[in-house]
Protein backbone atom coordinates (compact mmCIF):
# COMPACT_ATOMS: atom_id res chain seq x y z
CA UNK A 1 0.00 0.00 0.00
CA UNK A 2 1.13 3.51 -0.74
CA UNK A 3 2.44 5.68 2.10
CA UNK A 4 0.18 8.56 1.00
CA UNK A 5 -3.55 8.46 0.25
CA UNK A 6 -5.27 10.81 -2.17
CA UNK A 7 -7.79 12.59 0.06
CA UNK A 8 -9.29 15.23 -2.20
CA UNK A 9 -8.77 18.11 -4.59
CA UNK A 10 -8.67 21.85 -4.11
CA UNK A 11 -11.49 23.03 -6.33
CA UNK A 12 -11.52 26.74 -5.59
CA UNK A 13 -10.66 29.55 -3.22
CA UNK A 14 -13.05 30.75 -0.56
CA UNK A 15 -13.10 34.42 0.35
CA UNK A 16 -10.07 36.69 0.10
CA UNK A 17 -8.03 35.55 3.12
CA UNK A 18 -6.37 32.50 1.56
CA UNK A 19 -8.95 29.83 2.37
CA UNK A 20 -9.46 26.98 -0.11
CA UNK A 21 -12.45 24.77 -0.90
CA UNK A 22 -11.55 21.06 -0.86
CA UNK A 23 -13.61 18.34 -2.53
CA UNK A 24 -13.12 15.43 -0.11
CA UNK A 25 -12.57 11.90 -1.41
CA UNK A 26 -12.55 10.23 2.01
CA UNK A 27 -15.54 8.87 3.93
CA UNK A 28 -16.69 12.29 5.01
CA UNK A 29 -15.60 15.91 5.34
CA UNK A 30 -15.65 15.41 9.13
CA UNK A 31 -13.12 12.58 8.84
CA UNK A 32 -10.90 14.81 6.69
CA UNK A 33 -11.02 17.50 9.39
CA UNK A 34 -9.41 15.08 11.85
CA UNK A 35 -6.08 15.54 10.05
CA UNK A 36 -3.69 18.27 11.16
CA UNK A 37 -1.46 18.11 8.09
CA UNK A 38 -1.73 17.32 4.41
CA UNK A 39 0.61 16.99 1.47
CA UNK A 40 0.65 18.97 -1.77
CA UNK A 41 3.08 17.71 -4.41
CA UNK A 42 4.87 15.79 -1.64
CA UNK A 43 5.36 18.88 0.55
CA UNK A 44 3.92 18.76 4.07
CA UNK A 45 1.56 21.63 4.93
CA UNK A 46 -0.16 22.28 8.26
CA UNK A 47 -3.91 22.75 8.23
CA UNK A 48 -4.32 25.96 10.21
CA UNK A 49 -8.11 25.79 10.38
CA UNK A 50 -10.95 23.93 8.70
CA UNK A 51 -14.72 23.69 8.69
CA UNK A 52 -17.35 21.77 6.76
CA UNK A 53 -19.41 23.66 4.18
CA UNK A 54 -22.02 21.43 2.50
CA UNK A 55 -20.00 18.40 1.33
CA UNK A 56 -16.71 20.34 1.11
CA UNK A 57 -14.05 21.41 3.59
CA UNK A 58 -13.05 25.06 3.74
CA UNK A 59 -9.47 25.21 5.01
CA UNK A 60 -6.60 27.58 5.67
CA UNK A 61 -3.36 25.90 4.70
CA UNK A 62 0.11 26.89 5.80
CA UNK A 63 1.70 29.16 3.19
CA UNK A 64 -1.60 30.28 1.62
CA UNK A 65 -1.95 33.64 3.34
CA UNK A 66 -3.91 35.50 0.69
CA UNK A 67 -6.15 35.05 -2.34
CA UNK A 68 -3.24 34.84 -4.82
CA UNK A 69 -1.51 32.09 -2.83
CA UNK A 70 -4.79 30.17 -2.53
CA UNK A 71 -5.42 30.54 -6.30
CA UNK A 72 -2.07 28.86 -6.98
CA UNK A 73 -3.34 25.74 -5.16
CA UNK A 74 -6.52 25.38 -7.24
CA UNK A 75 -6.69 22.00 -8.97
CA UNK A 76 -4.04 20.35 -6.79
CA UNK A 77 -4.60 16.91 -5.33
CA UNK A 78 -4.48 16.78 -1.53
CA UNK A 79 -2.85 13.76 0.06
CA UNK A 80 -2.68 12.52 3.64
CA UNK A 81 -0.15 10.27 5.29
CA UNK A 82 -1.68 6.80 5.66
CA UNK A 83 -0.21 6.47 9.17
CA UNK A 84 -2.15 9.60 10.28
CA UNK A 85 -5.49 7.90 9.50
CA UNK A 86 -5.46 5.45 12.45
CA UNK A 87 -7.92 3.08 10.76
CA UNK A 88 -9.37 0.31 12.90
CA UNK A 89 -8.72 -3.32 12.04
CA UNK A 90 -10.86 -4.27 9.06
CA UNK A 91 -11.24 -0.67 7.81
CA UNK A 92 -9.83 0.29 4.42
CA UNK A 93 -9.60 3.22 2.08
CA UNK A 94 -11.69 2.46 -1.02
CA UNK A 95 -8.71 3.17 -3.26
CA UNK A 96 -6.86 0.32 -1.49
CA UNK A 97 -9.46 -2.29 -2.39
CA UNK A 98 -10.21 -1.26 -5.98
CA UNK A 99 -9.13 -4.12 -8.22
CA UNK A 100 -9.84 -6.78 -5.58
CA UNK A 101 -11.52 -9.98 -6.74
CA UNK A 102 -15.15 -10.25 -5.64
CA UNK A 103 -16.50 -13.73 -4.85
CA UNK A 104 -19.83 -15.03 -3.58
CA UNK A 105 -20.35 -17.15 -0.46
CA UNK A 106 -19.33 -20.32 -2.31
CA UNK A 107 -16.11 -18.73 -3.60
CA UNK A 108 -17.32 -18.31 -7.18
CA UNK A 109 -15.74 -15.26 -8.77
CA UNK A 110 -18.23 -12.53 -9.66
CA UNK A 111 -15.75 -9.99 -10.98
CA UNK A 112 -13.41 -7.20 -9.96
CA UNK A 113 -14.23 -4.21 -7.77
CA UNK A 114 -14.05 -1.45 -10.39
CA UNK A 115 -15.52 1.54 -8.56
CA UNK A 116 -17.32 2.70 -5.45
CA UNK A 117 -20.11 5.26 -5.73
CA UNK A 118 -21.29 7.31 -2.76
CA UNK A 119 -25.08 7.52 -2.43
CA UNK A 120 -27.20 9.01 0.36
CA UNK A 121 -28.07 5.55 1.69
CA UNK A 122 -24.64 3.86 1.45
CA UNK A 123 -21.58 3.36 -0.68
CA UNK A 124 -22.28 1.14 -3.70
CA UNK A 125 -19.56 -1.17 -5.00
CA UNK A 126 -19.48 -1.51 -8.78
CA UNK A 127 -18.28 -5.01 -9.67
CA UNK A 128 -17.37 -5.75 -13.29
CA UNK A 129 -17.44 -9.34 -14.46
CA UNK A 130 -19.53 -11.18 -17.04
CA UNK A 131 -22.05 -8.52 -16.15
CA UNK A 132 -21.99 -5.50 -13.88
CA UNK A 133 -23.17 -5.89 -10.29
CA UNK A 134 -24.09 -3.02 -7.99
CA UNK A 135 -23.63 -4.13 -4.38
CA UNK A 136 -24.41 -1.92 -1.37
CA UNK A 137 -21.32 -1.72 0.87
CA UNK A 138 -23.17 -2.73 4.02
CA UNK A 139 -22.57 -5.68 6.35
CA UNK A 140 -25.60 -7.57 5.01
CA UNK A 141 -23.89 -7.90 1.60
CA UNK A 142 -20.16 -7.42 2.27
CA UNK A 143 -19.23 -10.46 4.33
CA UNK A 144 -15.45 -10.10 4.42
CA UNK A 145 -12.61 -8.07 2.92
CA UNK A 146 -9.33 -9.99 2.90
CA UNK A 147 -6.48 -7.58 2.09
CA UNK A 148 -3.88 -10.38 2.03
CA UNK A 149 -5.78 -12.33 -0.63
CA UNK A 150 -7.07 -9.15 -2.30
CA UNK A 151 -10.56 -10.62 -2.15
CA UNK A 152 -14.02 -9.43 -1.13
CA UNK A 153 -16.61 -12.05 -0.17
CA UNK A 154 -20.21 -10.96 -0.73
CA UNK A 155 -23.76 -12.20 -0.24
CA UNK A 156 -25.84 -11.68 -3.37
CA UNK A 157 -29.61 -11.66 -3.62
CA UNK A 158 -31.69 -12.06 -6.71
CA UNK A 159 -31.59 -8.95 -8.85
CA UNK A 160 -28.06 -7.96 -7.94
Amino acid sequence: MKEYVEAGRIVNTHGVNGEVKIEVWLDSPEFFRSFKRLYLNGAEKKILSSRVHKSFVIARIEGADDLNAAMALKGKTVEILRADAHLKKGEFFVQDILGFRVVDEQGTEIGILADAVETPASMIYVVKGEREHLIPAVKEFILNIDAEREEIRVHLIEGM
Side-chain angles (χ1 to χ4, degrees):
M1 291 189 200
K2 296 179 186 175
E3 184 179 8
Y4 297 94
V5 176
E6 291 184 352
R9 184 171 53 89
I10 298 174
V11 295
N12 213 340
T13 61
H14 187 83
V16 295
N17 295 321
E19 288 183 313
V20 293
K21 183 177 183 180
I22 302 172
E23 173 187 37
V24 177
W25 299 340
L26 301 175
D27 283 356
S28 69
E30 290 80 12
F31 179 61
F32 181 90
R33 287 192 66 233
S34 69
F35 296 90
K36 303 298 178 214
R37 61 183 174 171
L38 53 80
Y39 296 82
L40 298 171
N41 297 331
E44 180 180 327
K45 302 287 184 185
K46 289 182 184 174
I47 300 173
L48 303 175
S49 66
S50 66
R51 65 185 184 281
V52 175
H53 178 68
K54 299 184 181 178
S55 61
F56 297 90
V57 168
I58 305 299
R60 285 194 36 96
I61 299 172
E62 176 183 37
D65 300 324
D66 59 30
L67 180 60
N68 290 333
M71 281 294 288
L73 300 177
K74 188 175 176 183
K76 294 202 181 291
T77 298
V78 174
E79 295 181 314
I80 57 167
L81 190 60
R82 179 181 299 281
D84 289 346
H86 306 292
L87 296 178
K88 296 176 189 162
K89 185 177 180 176
E91 291 182 331
F92 303 93
F93 289 109
V94 170
Q95 60 194 274
D96 292 340
I97 63 173
L98 290 176
F100 277 23
R101 286 183 28 195
V102 179
V103 299
D104 66 14
E105 293 164 290
Q106 290 73 41
T108 305
E109 187 166 329
I110 296 166
I112 301 295
L113 181 60
D115 198 5
V117 179
E118 187 70 45
T119 69
S122 72
M123 177 92 53
I124 303 290
Y125 288 168
V126 179
V127 179
K128 303 252 179 172
E130 282 186 29
R131 66 182 192 90
E132 184 176 88
H133 295 269
L134 302 176
I135 305 172
V138 296
K139 65 182 178 182
E140 290 80 13
F141 300 111
I142 307 302
L143 303 177
N144 184 43
I145 298 176
D146 186 334
E148 301 241 342
R149 295 179 65 192
E150 296 189 358
E151 181 180 275
I152 302 170
R153 188 167 298 268
V154 298
H155 168 71
L156 294 180
I157 59 174
E158 193 165 330
M160 281 186 156

